[in-house]
Structure formats: C-alpha cells, structure tokens
C-alpha cells in the first residue's frame, strides 16, 4: 500500500470546481518514456538532413500529443533575423497542423486542403505578393479581396507553401495525426504523400515531423521500408509484465493522483489496484490522464470519494482496451530490431566459408565483437536510446530552435 501525499497548492481546495478541474487538466507529469522520446525527437530533428523526415509513432492514447505541444512550446520563440535590406524579417519557427480526414484516399484535392490548412496556420496566403505600408500613411478605399487557398490549384499552393516556409524561416513543421496521410488501402496515395513531403523538406530548411499511431508505422514498413530509412522515435506504452516499467507507470499514476486538488482524492494506492489500472489503460499515460480527468470531474460533481474501484469505472471498456492492446503488440513487433547475431547468420548463409574459416575469406574484415549480454544494444526497439550511451537529457549542447 502506497501513501499518496498531496502536491497541489492548498489554496485550490477553496476554489470553484471549474478551477480545480482546469488545474488538473493542464498538469503535465513527466515520465521516463516521455522524457526519453522527447530528447530523442530533438536529436533526430537536429541531426536530420534536408529532405529527411522524422517519425514519432506509438499506440493510441500513449501521449504523442504531449510531445507535439512541448516541441511547439520549446521551439516556437525564435529570434527574428535581418533580411537583405537589414529589416527584421518576421519569423515563425514552428507551425503545427492536423492532417485532415482522408476518406481512405489521398489525391490532389486532399493535398489542396492540407496545404491550405498549412498556409492558414502560418498566417499567410500570398506571402510572395505582400507589401508593407504603415497604416498612418495609407487609408484603404477598397476592400482587399480574400483569396481562399482551397480554391487555388495544387501547384500554386505548393509554391506558396514553399515560399512561406522560406520567408518565415520555419525550422519545424509538425503534422499531427499523420497516419491519415498514408491510408493502407491506397498505396498510390501513400507514395504521393511521401513525395510531396520530401519535396517540401528538400526545398526549404524546414524539418518535417510526422506524428501518428501504429497505422503510420504499418504503412511505412510495408511501403519500401520508408520508416526504417528515416529518423524514428517510438513512444511506447508501459508493459505491466515488466517490473521496472510497471513501477515507472505506478509512480506516474501516484504523481497524477497527488495533483488532484480535492478532499475526495485517494490517499493510498494498492499494488493490485495499480496493476488493474495499468492493464485497463494498456499502460498508456495519455489514456490514464483522460481516465483520471473523467473520474475527477465526476467526483467533483457528485462528491463521491475517489477509490480504486471508482477510477476503474472510467477506464476504457475492456473490448476497446483489448483492441488497443492488439494494435500495440503488432506495432511493437514491427519496430522490434534484431540482434547482431541475426545479421551475422544472414551474412554467413550468403558466404558459407565465413563461419567455417574455409574459402577465400582472408581479405574479409572480422565481424565486430559485441559486448554485454547476448544481442547487446541491437535488441532494443527502433527509435529507442541505449541508456548506457545516450542519457535521457542534458547530454548535448544547444538545440536547433
């Protein structure tokens, strides 16, 4: 039984229910998988080359949206740099868009919608045709006609988007729900999306980050191995069968419960209760936060005491959790790396003389030796750090912003 010590400001207890709920909704609790994935995302963004894409994938409800919000917060305030005339050019370091629904097909009209959303999110429609006139020296006598980018053709919008990204010196384009760009039922549309994204990245200094579910990973892994050729960040769920991961999940759960500003909050948590909540939320912190928010909102309205059984009423239905778990397991298998011994066995099968020491192998370099346990770091999942070599934070100098 773990005692839960309150961590919220005491004065919140006398505030209205709306303020209490708003405080909890905005509370972000860091946890190992989130910190690790965020730092790896920064590294991928910093070290990627022109035309390369960064992929952030994970199961539904794992918390990829938190990475998007933190990337936007940490990179959106970039200083303005002088233009050719010595004037301070307006910059937008980071822009975020959600990929629109696709109706299972990707075509030119779909990309007209997405490019239009990008232009609107950036605040520009005709960036290369604007001039600045001080308002005190000019009075409009006729209204400026509004040009809806969705009514323009694809090539015009693509050119406008590239011009805008260059002019605004945009360094980071975050596309949330990016799995919509790659529907499994439309291979040609997937190829079109990939080509357009690569064109945008190659013709600007913008790094493009795609954030999505394992559907993005499934499509990418089956379409010319795109995902493995790019920079991949895998934000995983916590595995309740692994003691270390379950303990990390339980600490995050306790931390969230400690920030509930109410007298009806839980004060203790049992090991069995934490295990049930972890399984019901499939080990996903995003799903856990939504569960606790719904339970907290209900308790504020009814005055009920929050218990483990009370919270379990607001977890996803078991049928939903089962489908999320199946999708998570399948996605993890897609991204699971192989050991160096597996690579060596393939090479030895191609060159039979290599393993037996016979044949013309005198000019071949000896295989690299592995250290540590069998398989070493090669057995970790794609998109994960090696904790012994890559600390989760503070290991690098200034980031690209």
């Amino acid at each position: 039984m773990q005692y839960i010590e309150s961590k919220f400001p005491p004065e919140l207890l006398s505030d209205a229910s709306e303020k209490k709920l708003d405080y909890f909704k905005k509370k972000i609790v860091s946890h190992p998988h989130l910190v690790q994935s965020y730092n790896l995302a920064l590294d991928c963004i910093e070290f990627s080359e022109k035309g390369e894409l960064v992929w952030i994938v994970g199961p539904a409800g794992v918390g990829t949206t938190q990475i998007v919000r933190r990337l936007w917060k940490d990179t959106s305030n970039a200083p303005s740099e002088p233009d050719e005339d010595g004037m301070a050019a307006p910059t937008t370091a980071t822009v975020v868009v959600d990929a629109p629904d696709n109706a299972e097909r990707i075509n030119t009209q779909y990309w007209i919608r997405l490019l239009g959303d990008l232009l609107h999110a950036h605040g520009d429609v005709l960036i290369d045709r604007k001039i600045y006139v001080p308002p005190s020296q000019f009075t409009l006598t006729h209204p400026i006609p509004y040009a809806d980018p969705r009514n323009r053709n694809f090539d015009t919008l693509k050119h406008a988007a590239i011009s805008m990204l260059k002019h605004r010196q945009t360094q980071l384009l975050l596309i949330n729900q990016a799995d919509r760009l790659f529907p499994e039922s439309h291979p040609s549309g997937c190829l079109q999306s990939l080509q357009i994204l690569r064109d945008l990245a190659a013709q600007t200094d913008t790094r493009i980050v795609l954030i999505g579910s394992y559907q993005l990973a499934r499509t990418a892994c089956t379409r010319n191995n795109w995902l493995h050729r790019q920079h991949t960040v895998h934000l995983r769920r916590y595995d309740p069968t692994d003691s270390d991961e379950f303990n990390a999940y339980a600490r995050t759960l306790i931390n969230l419960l400690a920030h509930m500003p109410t007298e009806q909050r839980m004060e203790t948590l049992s090991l069995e209760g934490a295990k049930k909540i972890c399984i019901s939320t499939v080990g996903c912190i995003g799903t856990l936060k939504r569960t606790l928010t719904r339970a907290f909102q209900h308790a504020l309205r009814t005055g009920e005491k929050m218990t483990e059984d009370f919270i379990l009423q607001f977890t996803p239905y078991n049928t939903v959790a089962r489908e999320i778990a199946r999708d998570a397991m399948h996605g993890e298998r897609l991204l699971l790396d192989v050991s160096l011994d597996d690579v060596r066995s393939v090479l030895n099968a191609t060159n039979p003389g290599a393993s037996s020491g016979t044949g013309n192998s005198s000019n071949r370099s000896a295989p690299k030796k592995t250290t540590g346990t069998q398989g070493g770091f090669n057995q970790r999942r794609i998109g994960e750090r090696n904790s012994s070599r890559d600390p989760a934070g503070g290991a690098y100098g200034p980031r690209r912003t």
Side-chain angles (χ1 to χ4, degrees):
M1 191 73 69
Q2 174 70 46
Y3 176 73
I4 305 173
E5 184 179 357
S6 64
K7 295 183 179 180
F8 55 84
E11 58 271 18
L12 279 174
L13 289 175
S14 58
D15 283 338
S17 297
E18 291 77 8
K19 289 188 176 181
K20 295 177 181 179
L21 185 62
D22 186 61
Y23 167 83
F24 185 73
K25 284 181 177 180
K26 293 180 179 179
K27 189 64 184 178
I28 303 299
V29 174
S30 294
H31 54 91
H33 284 186
L34 181 64
V35 172
Q36 183 186 59
S37 297
Y38 176 75
N39 280 279
L40 183 56
L42 287 178
D43 291 341
C44 291
I45 292 167
E46 182 176 354
F47 300 130
S48 62
E49 302 292 337
K50 263 193 174 186
E52 293 183 328
L53 307 176
V54 177
W55 311 68
I56 302 177
V57 297
V62 75
T64 52
T65 301
Q66 293 303 325
I67 293 184
V68 175
R69 291 174 179 172
R70 187 170 174 184
L71 284 172
W72 181 86
K73 179 180 178 182
D74 292 350
T75 62
S76 58
N77 296 321
S80 299
E81 298 181 5
D83 59 14
E84 297 177 355
D85 300 326
M87 303 292 292
T91 62
T92 305
T94 304
V95 63
V96 183
V97 294
D98 287 335
D101 292 330
N102 56 29
E104 299 301 323
R105 290 192 65 81
I106 300 295
N107 52 28
T108 301
Q109 291 302 314
Y110 178 85
W111 271 96
I112 286 177
R113 291 171 58 198
L114 181 53
L115 292 174
D117 291 342
L118 173 59
L119 289 165
H120 277 307
H122 231 310
D124 290 297
V125 176
L126 300 174
I127 186 63
D128 54 340
R129 300 186 184 182
K130 290 185 177 180
I131 60 174
Y132 175 75
V133 179
S136 60
Q137 301 178 19
F138 181 72
T139 302
L140 291 176
T141 57
H142 299 285
I144 297 177
Y146 173 70
D148 184 355
R150 291 184 176 85
N151 293 331
R152 308 296 295 273
N153 62 59
F154 170 75
D155 291 334
T156 300
L157 289 180
K158 182 179 175 182
H159 173 72
I162 292 173
S163 298
M164 177 196 63
L165 293 171
K166 289 181 178 179
H167 182 84
R168 293 287 189 175
Q169 301 175 27
T170 303
Q171 298 177 6
L172 196 59
L173 168 58
L174 305 172
I175 303 180
N176 202 18
Q177 299 181 348
D179 43 287
R180 296 176 177 178
L181 301 176
F182 303 97
E184 297 177 82
S185 60
H186 193 200
S188 61
C190 296
L191 289 171
Q192 182 182 24
S193 291
L194 183 66
Q195 187 59 55
I196 294 172
L197 289 169
R198 284 180 171 170
D199 287 346
L200 291 177
Q203 297 183 49
T204 66
D205 289 325
T206 304
R207 297 300 182 265
I208 298 179
V209 181
L210 306 176
I211 304 98
S213 67
Y214 282 131
Q215 179 182 328
L216 177 62
R218 285 197 301 271
T219 306
C221 286
T222 56
R223 307 289 182 224
N224 298 324
N225 219 16
W226 299 341
L227 194 63
H228 294 268
R229 295 190 297 174
Q230 306 296 330
H231 298 270
T232 308
V233 178
H234 183 196
L235 179 55
R236 292 190 296 111
R237 65 186 178 89
Y238 287 95
D239 184 358
T241 64
D242 184 293
S243 59
D244 291 337
E245 293 205 358
F246 170 71
N247 289 335
Y249 177 94
R251 287 193 297 269
T252 306
L253 170 59
I254 291 172
N255 203 354
L256 285 168
L257 291 172
H259 281 95
M260 282 189 175
T262 176
E263 296 176 348
Q264 286 81 32
R265 71 180 184 87
M266 288 178 55
E267 296 181 351
T268 59
L269 178 67
S270 69
L271 179 64
E272 184 62 25
K275 183 78 75 172
K276 287 182 179 180
I277 295 174
C278 183
I279 294 174
S280 297
T281 59
V282 200
C284 296
I285 300 300
T287 303
L288 171 64
K289 181 67 181 297
R290 285 195 296 272
T291 295
L292 295 179
T293 300
R294 293 174 58 196
F296 185 35
Q297 185 175 19
H298 187 83
L300 287 174
R301 182 171 59 84
T302 63
E304 293 180 66
K305 177 71 175 178
M306 297 191 68
T307 63
E308 295 169 359
D309 290 337
F310 177 81
I311 291 175
L312 285 168
Q313 297 179 56
F314 298 91
T315 57
Y317 289 114
N318 292 337
T319 53
V320 176
R322 181 182 60 186
E323 294 306 311
I324 296 174
R326 285 175 176 170
D327 184 66
M329 296 296 290
H330 181 51
E332 289 170 0
R333 285 194 294 269
L334 283 175
L335 298 176
L336 188 64
D337 204 356
V338 299
S339 69
L340 194 60
D341 290 336
D342 290 336
V343 180
R344 184 179 293 113
S345 66
V346 174
L347 294 175
N348 289 341
T350 306
N351 304 282
S355 59
S356 61
T358 62
N360 187 18
S361 60
S362 59
N363 295 327
R364 299 183 184 276
S365 301
K368 292 186 293 184
K369 295 182 179 179
T370 59
T371 59
T373 58
Q374 183 179 4
F377 66 86
N378 297 285
Q379 286 188 334
R380 69 182 187 274
R381 296 174 176 86
I382 294 174
E384 291 186 34
R385 293 177 176 275
N386 179 356
S387 58
S388 64
R389 302 196 315 161
D390 304 321
Y396 299 91
R399 303 283 181 190
R400 173 193 178 102
T401 57

